[in-house]
C-alpha cells in the first residue's frame, strides 16, 4: 500500500510541475513581454537558431518593433529578416509571434512608437 501511495503522490507532483511549466505559471527564458509602452525584460539570451517569443498581452499596447536604435529601424547583418524590415512589425494587444534568431550576435530590438522601449537579444552560437 505504501508504494502505491508514494507512486500516486509522485505522479501528482509531476502533473503539477507539468501544469506550471506549460500554462504560463512560469515564463520561459526566451519570452519577451510588452507592456503599454515598454518591454518587460531588458535582455534575453538564446542559442542561434532558436526563437524568441514576443508577446503583446491583452493589457499591452500597440507596438512596431524592429532591430534599431532609439526610434529608428536600422537593419543589422545576421538579424532576423522580419526585424530588419525598415517598417518594423506591428503588434497589437493579444498578438504574439515567435521570431527565430539565426546568427550569433547582439541585437537591439526597439519600438519605433515608444522612445526608450528596447530589449537586447544576445544570441550565442
Ligand atoms: Cu511600443
Amino acid at each position: 500500500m505504501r508504494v502505491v501511495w508514494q507512486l500516486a503522490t509522485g505522479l501528482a507532483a509531476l502533473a503539477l510541475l507539468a501544469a506550471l511549466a506549460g500554462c504560463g505559471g512560469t515564463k520561459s527564458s526566451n519570452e519577451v513581454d510588452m507592456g503599454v509602452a515598454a518591454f518587460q525584460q531588458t535582455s534575453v539570451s538564446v542559442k542561434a537558431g532558436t526563437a524568441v517569443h514576443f508577446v503583446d498581452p491583452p493589457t499591452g499596447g500597440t507596438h512596431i518593433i524592429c532591430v534599431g536604435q532609439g526610434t529608428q529601424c536600422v537593419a543589422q547583418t545576421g538579424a532576423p529578416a522580419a526585424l530588419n524590415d525598415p517598417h518594423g512589425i506591428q503588434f497589437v494587444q493579444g498578438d504574439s509571434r515567435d521570431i527565430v534568431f539565426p546568427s550569433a550576435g547582439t541585437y537591439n530590438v526597439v519600438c519605433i512608437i515608444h522612445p526608450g522601449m528596447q530589449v537586447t537579444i544576445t544570441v550565442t552560437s
Side-chain angles (χ1 to χ4, degrees):
M1 261 338 255
R2 173 170 294 179
V3 172
V4 172
W5 173 245
Q6 285 175 341
L7 191 63
T9 49
L11 285 174
L14 277 177
L16 181 63
L17 280 176
L20 284 173
C23 298
T26 51
K27 291 193 187 308
S28 57
S29 58
N30 66 337
E31 184 167 319
V32 172
D33 299 283
M34 299 171 215
V36 174
F39 289 116
Q40 303 302 292
Q41 290 81 12
T42 54
S43 64
V44 165
S45 183
V46 294
K47 284 253 182 205
T50 60
V52 173
H53 189 50
F54 288 89
V55 179
D56 190 345
T59 53
T62 298
H63 304 287
I64 299 175
I65 70 169
C66 54
V67 167
Q69 299 289 334
T71 54
Q72 300 281 320
C73 293
V74 182
Q76 183 178 341
T77 301
L83 291 174
N84 268 344
D85 187 312
H87 304 295
I89 311 170
Q90 180 171 302
F91 284 74
V92 297
Q93 294 170 331
D95 282 349
S96 68
R97 187 190 282 228
D98 284 322
I99 299 177
V100 173
F101 283 74
S103 307
T106 302
Y107 307 97
N108 276 332
V109 176
V110 300
C111 173
I112 62 175
I113 298 176
H114 298 115
M117 179 166 169
Q118 178 183 319
V119 60
T120 303
I121 312 292
T122 302
V123 182
T124 57
S125 53

